[in-house]
Amino acid sequence: MNKAVILGCNYYIGLSVIRCLGKHGIHTVAVDYTNDAYGARSKYCSERLIAPHYKEQKEQFIEYLIQYARRQALPPVLIPCHDSFVELIDQNLTELRKHYLIPQTEPGLYTRLMNKEKLHELAVSHGIRVPETVRPEDEHLFEKVDEIIKYPCIVKPTDSPAFVAVFRKKLFQVNNQQELVQALERARKANLEVIIQRIIPGFDDHMHTFDVYLDQNAKATHWVTCQKYRQYPINFGASVYTGQKYVQELYDIGAPFLEAVGYKGFAEIEFKKDAQTGAYYLIEVNVRITNLNQLLYKSGINIPYITYRELTGQAPVPPKAVTENTNRVFWYFFEDMLAVRDYIRTKQLTYTQVIASLFKPKAYAIWDWSDPMPAFSYAALLGGKVLRKFRPAKTDPNQSKMKG
């Protein structure tokens, strides 16, 4: 049997992939650079590897993967669970495909869809609505922002992983020209390319996702749509409380687009519904398994297993679309509590609204009654961080004597 090599298991996305495959008896291999990867504590994890750091030792990391695959009787299926892994795979796709089973066959396509500026151009060329955008180098920049974009607006990176690594946030929101100048200067000093976009009106529950698997013929075979309720950081963050909700229009927009560009494998398109016009705008495309994987699984779409079956040449999982509302929600409890705090503090939600939203069947980010160890490991890691934060700094006894 082909093994499944999962990259990035120190987060619940990797954990979810391990569970989705392990429940079908597939040999799962958790790869990370640290021994603290709580996803590898799952009872469904067959093997765990400590590899070179994927950012600090890129060449060694790729060579490590290749050497591991060479020792296997059959080529493993390679599943990245973070954008940085995707970028690295895309840069080495031709070589890695000699040793691993990977859905995408066109080098560079992952990167083009991840790059916000190139995605914008690609979407426009296919007639997809995207937020109005200007670039820092445009002539009459501030006049364009005043007339087309308007304040508040967002300064958004073209390369999200690099931006998040520096600023620990996905973008800058600016409210006036002075803040815009400051944001552009911060990006320039960090040597990061950015674009300036209009904010599509609407609360966070106007955010929707189209989650889809496209087979090796680049045809959409399995899909489900979801609606965000809360995200963290609020307004421009990741899903922490999101429900499955059937919206046919998202398929009608998203599937033809991905098929036209020749996409293969899993993708998630994020859309925002304009609160004033009702039109859906493409915000970004995720080209790897996402936060919502456990929700998709609970809704009847097991993306990692679908991927594994097709790539290993087994009988494919029959096509399926979730065209009813299951009322189930994905819930990442810890970050949702942080989000709720901020929503209430900014008066975007009330306690009553939050409490009323909680009475739905859940797809938990980490907890699973049948596989509790990852949750205990995560709690221990979290507790350790809290203790270190509040532990008093150690003092030098010699300094104390000198002071006395």
Side-chain angles (χ1 to χ4, degrees):
M1 181 180 288
N2 306 71
K3 295 181 179 181
V5 173
I6 298 104
L7 305 181
C9 299
N10 61 342
Y11 199 51
Y12 59 79
I13 299 175
L15 169 61
S16 177
V17 172
I18 289 171
R19 285 171 172 166
C20 283
L21 294 173
K23 289 177 181 179
H24 287 278
I26 295 166
H27 185 108
T28 59
V29 184
V31 180
D32 220 301
Y33 64 90
T34 172
N35 201 39
D36 293 335
Y38 61 84
R41 307 292 181 185
S42 170
K43 71 178 185 180
Y44 297 107
C45 179
S46 311
E47 185 179 351
R48 64 184 304 179
L49 304 174
I50 306 298
H53 198 286
Y54 60 95
K55 286 185 179 179
E56 298 172 2
Q57 301 170 291
K58 292 182 179 180
E59 293 182 2
Q60 295 93 322
F61 177 77
I62 293 297
E63 184 61 23
Y64 181 90
L65 292 181
I66 291 173
Q67 292 304 323
Y68 177 81
R70 283 175 172 164
R71 296 194 297 269
Q72 310 310 311
L74 294 170
V77 176
L78 189 62
I79 303 178
C81 296
H82 188 277
D83 287 344
S84 295
F85 289 120
V86 175
E87 289 182 335
L88 204 51
I89 289 172
D90 207 21
Q91 292 165 7
N92 298 272
L93 186 61
T94 302
E95 182 63 25
L96 285 172
R97 281 182 56 82
K98 297 176 183 177
H99 309 280
Y100 285 91
L101 302 177
I102 302 170
Q104 193 51 254
T105 57
E106 180 186 338
L109 182 56
Y110 282 147
T111 304
R112 288 199 298 277
L113 291 172
M114 290 173 65
N115 183 286
K116 301 301 186 292
E117 188 169 20
K118 292 177 181 177
L119 173 62
H120 184 277
E121 295 171 357
L122 197 59
V124 169
S125 69
H126 286 81
I128 309 295
R129 289 190 188 90
V130 288
E132 291 82 351
T133 301
V134 297
R135 293 156 184 79
E137 64 272 15
D138 286 354
E139 291 186 8
H140 310 296
L141 170 64
F142 299 117
E143 290 85 347
K144 287 183 178 180
V145 172
D146 287 335
E147 296 171 7
I148 302 172
I149 308 299
K150 303 188 184 303
Y151 296 102
C153 60
I154 56 176
V155 176
K156 193 174 183 179
T158 59
D159 182 352
S160 288
F163 188 92
V164 172
V166 174
F167 296 111
R168 312 306 300 172
K169 59 173 65 177
K170 295 177 70 173
L171 50 80
F172 297 132
Q173 180 175 344
V174 298
N175 299 296
N176 51 54
Q177 183 173 316
Q178 181 181 357
E179 291 182 7
L180 174 59
V181 171
Q182 292 171 347
L184 294 178
E185 180 62 14
R186 291 181 69 187
R188 186 193 65 78
K189 286 183 177 179
N191 199 30
L192 294 169
E193 293 184 3
V194 293
I195 54 179
I196 304 153
Q197 282 190 342
R198 178 172 78 94
I199 297 175
I200 305 302
F203 180 57
D204 288 359
D205 62 2
H206 283 62
M207 293 295 299
H208 295 259
T209 67
F210 170 60
D211 296 87
V212 59
Y213 183 82
L214 295 96
D215 65 15
Q216 288 299 290
N217 295 314
K219 296 297 180 184
T221 58
H222 302 76
W223 60 275
V224 58
T225 55
C226 304
Q227 178 182 10
K228 287 188 180 184
Y229 297 122
R230 295 190 289 273
Q231 48 190 356
Y232 184 78
I234 64 172
N235 307 136
F236 300 104
S239 298
V240 292
Y241 199 76
T242 295
Q244 178 275 321
K245 183 179 181 181
Y246 169 59
V247 182
Q248 177 66 37
E249 189 175 351
L250 300 182
Y251 170 86
D252 296 338
I253 300 170
F257 171 63
L258 291 172
E259 290 177 352
V261 301
Y263 192 87
K264 300 171 184 177
F266 174 76
E268 179 183 86
I269 302 180
E270 289 196 14
F271 291 94
K272 187 168 185 181
K273 185 177 183 179
D274 191 311
Q276 297 172 358
T277 67
Y280 287 98
Y281 285 77
L282 186 152
I283 302 300
E284 67 179 8
V285 178
N286 291 307
V287 294
R288 41 82 185 162
I289 303 294
T290 69
N291 305 43
L292 302 183
N293 186 57
Q294 192 64 12
L295 176 61
L296 308 188
Y297 170 72
K298 292 286 188 179
S299 301
I301 304 289
N302 187 337
I303 293 296
Y305 186 56
I306 293 166
T307 305
Y308 182 91
R309 284 276 292 267
E310 184 185 27
L311 295 185
T312 56
Q314 301 180 47
V317 177
K320 181 177 180 179
V322 181
T323 56
E324 71 281 348
N325 293 326
T326 64
N327 199 41
R328 188 177 295 276
V329 296
F330 161 79
W331 194 22
Y332 183 19
F333 172 78
F334 174 67
E335 287 197 351
D336 188 37
M337 293 301 98
L338 299 177
V340 165
R341 175 200 62 191
D342 294 342
Y343 282 121
I344 291 175
R345 181 184 295 165
T346 56
K347 302 188 185 311
Q348 296 182 56
L349 286 175
T350 65
Y351 283 109
T352 301
Q353 289 173 314
V354 171
I355 293 171
S357 73
L358 296 176
F359 297 96
K360 297 174 184 284
K362 307 290 194 306
Y364 296 101
I366 300 173
W367 177 252
D368 188 323
W369 284 103
S370 66
D371 185 29
M373 283 307 297
F376 296 150
S377 179
Y378 174 76
L381 288 171
L382 196 62
K385 289 181 180 179
V386 172
L387 287 175
R388 285 192 294 273
K389 184 176 180 179
F390 291 100
R391 183 182 297 157
K394 292 182 179 179
T395 57
D396 186 340
N398 294 324
Q399 281 188 332
S400 300
K401 289 178 182 179
M402 290 173 65
K403 288 179 181 178

